Amino acid sequence: MRPTWSTPGAEDPVEAVRAATDGNGADVCIEAVGNPKVFEQAFFARDLAGTLVQVGVPTPDMRIELPFIDLFGRGGRIKPSWYGDCLPSRDFPMLIDLYLQGRLPWSGSFPRPSSLTGWRRRSTRWNGVKVLRSVVVF
């Protein structure tokens, strides 16, 4: 799954999404930074009955303020995703079993592990968004 459209630098992201969708809004909006303002924008940028996935982790003091009738009247779903909704005690053994059976393609799925030595060289890779996640071995 990958984004099909985004609003980087849009003065009004909600209006930008509406304009790009003939006034309907997006089927799925993903809030990935844990910012209440971005959450509200994603909430109003989705189509009626659209889904808002909350991935960004807010701090305990953050609050959102939405008209209660909009929460009800717009329908759809608001779906928090806590670590991808993974249950490590259940999912990790299953993934290991699939890998050992040769049923989980591993090659190319993850960057090769590295140590902290040479981190400056690798940080240029991170800044250039060539590596989404990295495994650091201590």
Side-chain angles (χ1 to χ4, degrees):
M1 184 168 103
R2 62 185 172 85
T4 55
W5 197 78
S6 64
T7 62
E11 192 168 313
D12 184 345
V14 175
E15 286 306 312
V17 169
R18 295 235 171 258
T21 58
D22 296 323
N24 296 316
D27 292 331
V28 177
C29 291
I30 300 172
E31 193 290 321
V33 295
N35 181 302
K37 180 70 175 166
V38 177
F39 179 93
E40 290 174 21
Q41 290 170 341
F43 178 84
F44 288 109
R46 65 192 177 102
D47 190 7
L48 294 176
T51 300
L52 165 55
V53 181
Q54 174 68 35
V55 178
V57 180
T59 61
D61 62 320
M62 291 180 171
R63 301 284 183 264
I64 57 172
E65 189 172 321
L66 295 171
F68 200 30
I69 191 67
D70 283 341
L71 186 64
F72 174 78
R74 295 182 58 83
R77 295 184 337 146
I78 298 175
K79 173 70 176 103
S81 179
W82 190 72
Y83 293 104
D85 291 340
C86 172
L87 181 58
S89 62
R90 177 198 65 205
D91 297 341
F92 289 3
M94 176 195 62
L95 293 171
I96 291 167
D97 286 343
L98 288 172
Y99 171 73
L100 293 174
Q101 295 167 17
R103 297 173 50 203
L104 179 66
W106 189 267
S107 177
S109 297
F110 300 94
R112 56 181 186 269
S114 58
S115 68
L116 289 176
T117 306
W119 69 271
R120 282 191 196 275
R121 179 176 31 84
R122 281 189 309 282
S123 69
T124 59
R125 227 183 338 182
W126 296 333
N127 291 337
V129 192
K130 294 178 186 163
V131 173
L132 185 59
R133 290 200 175 188
S134 193
V135 178
V136 178
V137 179
F138 291 89

